[in-house]
Amino acid sequence: CRLYFTQIGIGTPAKSYYVQVDTGSDILWVNCVSCDTCPRKSGLGIELTLYDPSGSSSGTGVTCGQEFCVATHGGVLPSCVPAAPCQYSISYGDGSSTTGFFVTDFLQYNQVSGNSQTSLANTSITFGCGAKIGGDLGSSSQALDGILGFGQSNSSMLSQLAAAGKVRKVFAHCLDTINGGGIFAIGDVVQPKVSTTPLVPGMPHYNVNLEAIDVGGVKLQLPTNIFGIEESKGTIIDSGTTLAYLPGVVYNAIMSKVFAQYGDMPLKNDQDFQCFRYSGSVDDGFPIITFHFEGGLPLNIHPHDYLFQNGELYCMGFQTGGLQTKDGKDMVLLGDLAFSNRLVLYDLENQVIGWTDYNC
């Protein structure tokens, strides 16, 4: 599992926090001193820090009657009494969760100030103070201080920075799967130029219109409404997901085409992955899979992206959607596997998303 995280500063004096970057959720939150179950050590070799609102001279609590709380919850919570804290609760697709309360404090972040130059910027924003975590977030092997949501809602850090007039509502990432790490940037991308496809309006995630899929240049024959945009269908782009998930009928069609010339190759099921032995270069032996989006934007996924090494085996990085969540079985969910070593641009002002190959 690949994990992409960045460093931000919070509070006065500022302390450093390491947060996972996730385009599939909205809120920034970090674990707080009141959290008993939060990891104290991380297998990633980073120093974990618990946020203490009383340890920052600029930190203040958010009450449930305040505008931010009312807007985030779509109205005043029934349990709200004057001066009570504004609570939050988030569940993620993998079953992990966080609950806590909102606070407002100074956020310190790097802003591009010139060609390959960054400078520190400081802005007051509202974020979650995590009092309890569940699922994989509680395990220390890949523990971080929190999650930085880059969704579209008004509660996201990007929306707050944009509303304060600090940045344009545009961000980009470039994930380097060869050396690890990559680039995450807020604001305009001048170079390289990026072709785009429209975002589907009124969706909570980054939904796009997928029109067709080719394997090795041959278009897959699929049911006509398979990529519809209604509630339980559609195509989502999400950097918080490592792999790519497809409706069963699409997955089966791709698998049969990818392995068409290896009819007798035995596939081994290893923790829900289809794996096999192969000795040559996968880029020479397997086809490119191309997703075609509205506006003519293609996404070429090479064999070295969709096949990953697991010991002596290669495994297929695509899975059927039902394996991730039961309500996602008819959706296409494209995670980092599909966008590695590409600059991906999210232009929320113009409601488009695009990408281009790039050496991160």
Side-chain angles (χ1 to χ4, degrees), residues 13 40 45 49 64 72 118 139 151 202 206 235 248 269 286 313 333 344 349:
R40 300 299 198 265
T49 306
C64 57
T72 300
T118 59
S139 85
Y206 293 113
T235 302
N269 189 320
F286 291 89
L313 302 175
L333 177 61
V344 183
E349 290 184 0

Side-chain angles (χ1 to χ4, degrees), residues 215 220 249-262:
V215 177
L220 293 181
V249 58
V250 179
Y251 173 83
N252 292 335
I254 285 181
M255 288 294 283
S256 69
K257 275 275 190 290
V258 165
F259 292 99
Q261 72 206 62
Y262 305 108

Side-chain angles (χ1 to χ4, degrees), residues 207-208 226-230 232-236 330-333:
N207 284 62
V208 286
I226 191 76
F227 303 128
I229 56 169
E230 51 269 36
S232 62
K233 289 185 172 180
T235 302
I236 293 174
D330 296 323
M331 294 176 113
V332 176
L333 177 61

Side-chain angles (χ1 to χ4, degrees), residues 213 218-224 226 249 253 257:
I213 301 175
V218 179
K219 185 177 170 181
L220 293 181
Q221 297 304 310
L222 297 166
T224 46
I226 191 76
V249 58
K257 275 275 190 290

Side-chain angles (χ1 to χ4, degrees), residues 109-121 183-188:
Y109 58 98
N110 279 315
Q111 202 170 19
V112 176
S113 51
N115 194 9
S116 300
Q117 303 277 308
T118 59
S119 59
L120 278 178
I183 305 164
F184 199 95
I186 296 173
D188 282 332

Side-chain angles (χ1 to χ4, degrees), residues 178-242:
I178 299 157
N179 305 307
I183 305 164
F184 199 95
I186 296 173
D188 282 332
V189 172
V190 183
Q191 278 302 114
K193 286 281 170 269
V194 175
S195 301
T196 59
T197 187
L199 289 165
V200 178
M203 291 292 191
H205 298 291
Y206 293 113
N207 284 62
V208 286
N209 278 318
L210 175 60
E211 294 179 336
I213 301 175
D214 297 352
V215 177
V218 179
K219 185 177 170 181
L220 293 181
Q221 297 304 310
L222 297 166
T224 46
N225 65 342
I226 191 76
F227 303 128
I229 56 169
E230 51 269 36
E231 193 58 44
S232 62
K233 289 185 172 180
T235 302
I236 293 174
I237 290 170
D238 176 20
S239 75
T241 297
T242 302

Side-chain angles (χ1 to χ4, degrees), residues 34-49:
S34 56
C35 179
D36 299 332
T37 55
C38 291
R40 300 299 198 265
K41 282 194 155 55
S42 172
L44 296 168
I46 53 174
E47 189 83 22
L48 295 181
T49 306

